Amino acid sequence: QLQLVESGGGSVEAGGSLTLSCTASGSTLSRLCLGWFLQAPGLKRENVACIGTNGATSYVGSAKGRFTISRDNVKNTLYLQMNNLQYEDSALYSCAAYQCDGGCYWWRFAAGSWGRGTQVTVSS
């Protein structure tokens, strides 16, 4: 059974940086498409970034140019480097995964495995 555990969240001032980690157990990371999502209180969950088994990445909205998704298949860990954080980035960030071979597709994460999330709070 695949389990995902996020870490690295915290409080940071606007303009600061954080790196989130998502460690997987119970499955080999190299066979998984991986993604990061955020959800602010009272709002719908939003896509942030995803990465396929082929290393291809996809970013959504304001994540483009500020966030970098990466994976370390040896450490079985997914990362999200977040730079120039803004107040609007404050949310619960969760990682998700599904078995794949190639690029990531947002619609397929819904049926995948999810972590519980790590909170990011940006003060203005």
Side-chain angles (χ1 to χ4, degrees):
Q1 183 78 12
L2 173 63
Q3 292 190 333
L4 303 170
V5 179
E6 302 93 338
S7 62
S11 297
V12 64
E13 291 186 354
S17 299
L18 282 174
T19 300
L20 306 183
S21 300
C22 171
T23 301
S25 61
S27 183
T28 303
L29 203 73
S30 61
R31 299 178 181 178
L32 301 173
C33 280
L34 305 161
W36 284 102
F37 303 79
L38 67 85
Q39 187 166 20
L43 300 179
K44 290 172 50 180
R45 186 173 63 205
E46 299 177 14
N47 304 333
V48 176
C50 70
I51 184 168
T53 56
N54 58 5
T57 58
S58 178
Y59 296 89
V60 176
S62 64
K64 296 178 182 178
R66 295 190 303 131
F67 295 179
T68 302
I69 188 171
S70 62
R71 62 194 297 157
D72 186 331
N73 291 340
V74 174
K75 294 183 178 180
N76 247 27
T77 301
L78 171 72
Y79 301 98
L80 184 69
Q81 171 69 43
M82 304 188 294
N83 296 326
N84 192 23
L85 283 162
Q86 302 300 313
Y87 176 78
E88 307 80 61
D89 297 319
S90 299
L92 182 71
Y93 286 73
S94 301
C95 62
Y98 66 90
Q99 288 194 341
C100 76
D101 182 14
C104 52
Y105 295 89
W106 292 112
W107 64 271
R108 292 194 61 182
F109 283 102
S113 298
W114 290 77
R116 293 188 174 185
T118 185
Q119 181 67 38
V120 172
T121 302
V122 184
S123 57
S124 57

